[in-house]
Amino acid sequence: MTANTKITLTVLAVVAAVLTGLFVFARPNTPAPAAQPGPQGAPPTVPAEVLVRPDSHKLSTAPDGKVTVVEFADLECEVCGAVYPGVERLRAEYAGKVTFVLRYFPIPSHRNAELAARVVEAAGRQGKLEAMYQLMFETQREWGDQQTDHRATFLGFARRLGLDLPAFERDLDDPATQARVLADRKDGASIGVQGTPTFFVNGAKVTGRASYETLKAAIDAALAK
């Protein structure tokens, strides 16, 4: 074999290797399996065991369990605060007919969101979870959307509700309390929650603008089935 032949074969081998590499890297990634649609093309549903854990907080309970509304909420979120009166109205209108579940989803960019969720969770250990949840939204303009730590403000809320302050602070700072809040957020992220508020009715994500009317329509549709 002549020297020229050897050079030619070497060049051809290099070119072949380069072309093979380009082909491999140019191939599109294999797409992830698509979510399975519900019956007759309905939105995909999330497994109930992920949406409602044994320790999830039920603000209202329907004995028949036919319809369940789950909200992933950030207590500092202005949109959550805006839709809160509508949620309370729905809870009153559908009392005994619909279960409403609160899941924490504090947004990291909100300075007091995770702390507020821990406050609600700690109040729950003294039987005041719902009262603190309501107080948080009713006073949101006083402490929300600020870069100031509002622990002192929240301790004032605990006093207002007549909580045992030393016990409340211990629970507030208990690592288990933070873990409970973050477990909710992890569940939300695992099912595609990216912002708040995000609602699910019987496992189907409610789309469109979060409002009393949108939620009522989704609830009525679920009750009619």
Side-chain angles (χ1 to χ4, degrees), residues 2-170:
T2 66
N4 287 339
T5 301
K6 289 181 180 180
I7 293 172
T8 299
L9 290 175
T10 301
V11 170
L12 289 175
V14 170
V15 171
V18 170
L19 290 175
T20 300
L22 289 174
F23 174 77
V24 170
F25 286 108
R27 286 186 300 173
N29 292 328
T30 302
Q36 296 300 312
Q40 299 180 348
T45 57
V46 176
E49 62 270 19
V50 177
L51 271 178
V52 184
R53 298 290 188 183
D55 63 350
S56 292
H57 299 304
K58 296 179 179 179
L59 300 175
S60 303
T61 303
D64 63 9
K66 182 178 180 179
V67 177
T68 298
V69 177
V70 178
E71 177 184 6
F72 283 86
D74 176 327
L75 296 161
E76 191 172 351
C77 166
E78 291 183 358
V79 180
C80 293
V83 80
Y84 162 75
V87 173
E88 291 295 281
R89 180 180 171 188
L90 290 168
R91 287 180 59 202
E93 291 177 357
Y94 293 93
K97 297 179 181 179
V98 175
T99 297
F100 287 83
V101 180
L102 169 67
R103 302 295 302 270
Y104 305 115
F105 198 85
I107 305 298
S109 61
H110 290 165
R111 171 70 183 271
N112 290 283
E114 184 181 315
L115 176 61
R118 284 165 44 208
V119 167
V120 172
E121 186 66 18
R125 295 195 186 182
Q126 296 188 42
K128 296 288 187 178
L129 182 139
E130 182 177 350
M132 186 64 83
Y133 152 83
Q134 293 171 330
L135 186 56
M136 282 290 181
F137 279 128
E138 289 164 4
T139 63
Q140 189 191 67
R141 291 186 179 182
E142 299 175 17
W143 59 269
D145 196 26
Q146 300 176 24
Q147 292 305 310
T148 303
D149 183 282
H150 275 278
R151 182 184 178 97
T153 302
F154 298 151
L155 290 178
F157 293 171
R159 292 188 190 94
R160 190 185 308 185
L161 295 179
L163 300 182
D164 178 331
L165 263 296
F168 174 78
E169 287 201 79
R170 285 195 301 271

